[in-house]
Amino acid sequence: MKKLWLIASILGLVGTTIVGCNDTQNGNIGTNNNTNRVINTSLENQASNSNGKLQTIGVVLNDLGNPFYVAVQNGAQKQAKKIGGGNIRVNAVSSAFDLNLQTNQIENFTAANTDLIILSAVDKKGIKPAIDQAKLAGKVVIAIDSAVDADVDAMISSNNTQAGEIGCQYIADRLQGKGNVVVLNGTPMDSINQRVSGCKNSLSKYPDIKIISDQNAEGTRDGGLRVMTDLLTTFPKIDAVFATNDQSGVGADLAARQAKRNEFFIVGVDGSPDATKAMEDKNGVFVATAAQNPAGMAEKAVEIGNDLIQGKKPESREVLIPVNLVTRENLSSYKGW
């Protein structure tokens, strides 16, 4: 019996140590940029919500190495602090665009009795079973940035079609309706598809503008660099590039510098710090971005989630946030993330 008691005591001490290591100093934020595992998975440390108050939030994101998703995390933290004054725990995890990992993360948050789950889905169809399970367990689930084919409590996103439209309208205007355009596509998720659709809708009005390439740059700087490097070898003349997110656009800008090509310009989507920095460099070719408000999306998600937990229904289950075109000409007035 003494041996059994000693083993149980040691295991309890180890479990407490793991939980403590996963928390930040103020106890509100849990992040994991490297291992992509759910932070603070101790079920004992996640009490179920039985008093009508928001206590725990799980934020499931695609890539915490991307400033966009970091801004989402920060927005959730800011609104949680505003509502709970430091008493609401926010745990953020990164799925690295892996559906299986994202599914496991949602399942773990559900099992840990997390009150509110906010997610940016890597696959709108594939993530449905995990969402359904969370809903059956009585959790509030809110999708942001990209739609899902599941019964979520709310959907909050940028107007991604508008982002593609205004970005490529800028391209058409600057090219005066004539030229060769490259589309740096991304992971085939709803938000990316909408941006490409909006772009092509704008360019379709100009018969003398040709899309000479439409490839997946994976939404990363490395992907943009790799794809654009190949395209610069393949095509002797490119007039403009539409990047479906800023990270791939910044990678394409780097490829242009390395190849010493500057006959074209790049338009991205996000309004990220990396993009604004690239736009400030007059020697680069990154000239514009359709700016989103990722922190604002997360703040709205936490606000609606808190209302739902308190029994208040939102005015609308779908919230569409407009985007704005930021160019070198108006960059000085852009507040950024």
Side-chain angles (χ1 to χ4, degrees):
M1 289 296 293
K2 289 183 178 180
K3 289 183 178 180
L4 290 175
W5 178 85
L6 179 60
I7 293 171
S9 299
I10 292 171
L11 288 175
L13 179 60
V14 171
T16 303
T17 303
I18 290 172
V19 171
C21 289
N22 280 329
D23 290 339
T24 56
Q25 291 180 348
N26 64 12
N28 291 330
I29 301 300
T31 60
N32 188 339
N33 297 353
N34 298 320
T35 62
N36 294 327
R37 293 178 180 174
V38 171
I39 299 152
N40 197 14
T41 56
S42 171
L43 299 186
E44 294 82 6
N45 203 42
Q46 298 278 7
S48 62
N49 183 9
S50 59
N51 58 6
K53 289 185 178 181
L54 176 60
Q55 298 173 342
T56 53
I57 302 172
V59 187
V60 184
L61 302 171
N62 288 319
D63 180 10
L64 279 171
N66 185 325
F68 178 88
Y69 295 110
V70 174
V72 170
Q73 175 194 345
N74 292 339
Q77 174 189 7
K78 178 181 177 182
Q79 189 65 20
K81 187 174 182 180
K82 180 179 178 181
I83 293 170
N87 294 318
I88 300 174
R89 183 181 301 279
V90 181
N91 293 334
V93 293
S94 176
S95 69
F97 294 98
D98 185 304
L99 175 60
N100 290 330
L101 180 55
Q102 188 171 81
T103 296
N104 290 336
Q105 290 168 341
I106 294 172
E107 289 175 348
N108 286 340
F109 276 134
T110 301
N113 290 322
T114 304
D115 301 324
L116 169 62
I117 298 174
I118 299 170
L119 78 146
S120 178
V122 66
D123 185 319
K124 69 176 184 177
K125 294 182 184 294
I127 204 62
K128 184 181 187 301
I131 293 174
D132 291 346
Q133 181 183 359
K135 292 292 295 172
L136 284 172
K139 309 308 171 190
V140 175
V141 182
I142 296 178
I144 62 170
D145 187 40
S146 188
V148 293
D149 288 348
D151 184 22
V152 292
D153 292 281
M155 172 63 214
I156 303 168
S157 69
S158 298
N159 191 332
N160 287 295
T161 301
Q162 179 196 24
E165 287 176 344
I166 63 174
C168 286
Q169 186 60 55
Y170 176 84
I171 288 175
D173 292 342
R174 184 159 172 157
L175 292 180
Q176 298 182 339
K178 185 176 182 179
N180 296 326
V181 176
V182 163
V183 173
L184 294 182
N185 215 314
T187 303
M189 52 200 293
D190 208 50
S191 56
I192 298 298
N193 294 339
Q194 289 171 1
R195 293 172 195 177
V196 174
S197 176
C199 171
K200 291 182 177 180
N201 181 54
S202 289
L203 297 183
S204 67
K205 304 170 188 175
Y206 304 91
D208 290 330
I209 290 181
K210 294 180 174 58
I211 297 177
I212 57 175
S213 177
D214 179 354
Q215 293 187 43
N216 183 0
E218 301 171 355
T220 65
R221 184 182 303 212
D222 288 344
L225 171 61
R226 184 184 66 256
V227 172
M228 197 68 212
T229 298
D230 291 342
L231 292 173
L232 290 172
T233 302
T234 303
F235 297 105
K237 184 177 185 300
I238 297 172
D239 297 299
V241 174
F242 175 68
T244 50
N245 77 340
D246 284 344
Q247 289 297 298
S248 58
V250 169
D253 182 55
L254 178 58
R257 295 170 188 268
Q258 291 179 350
K260 297 182 179 180
R261 295 269 296 269
N262 61 5
E263 80 278 7
F264 61 91
F265 60 92
I266 299 169
V267 176
V269 176
D270 279 340
S272 70
D274 286 343
T276 55
K277 183 179 179 180
M279 290 163 63
E280 289 171 353
D281 186 353
K282 299 299 190 296
N283 294 321
V285 293
F286 204 127
V287 300
T289 179
Q292 302 189 80
N293 184 3
M297 282 192 282
E299 289 172 28
K300 191 67 176 177
V302 173
E303 177 189 331
I304 290 176
N306 182 57
D307 286 346
L308 286 166
I309 287 171
Q310 295 185 49
K312 302 175 185 177
K313 293 184 178 180
E315 294 181 3
S316 174
R317 293 178 64 181
E318 294 188 13
V319 179
L320 207 58
I321 299 177
V323 298
N324 300 298
L325 188 69
V326 179
T327 68
R328 278 181 175 166
E329 289 69 33
N330 64 15
L331 182 59
S332 60
S333 62
Y334 175 55
K335 294 182 180 179
W337 299 346

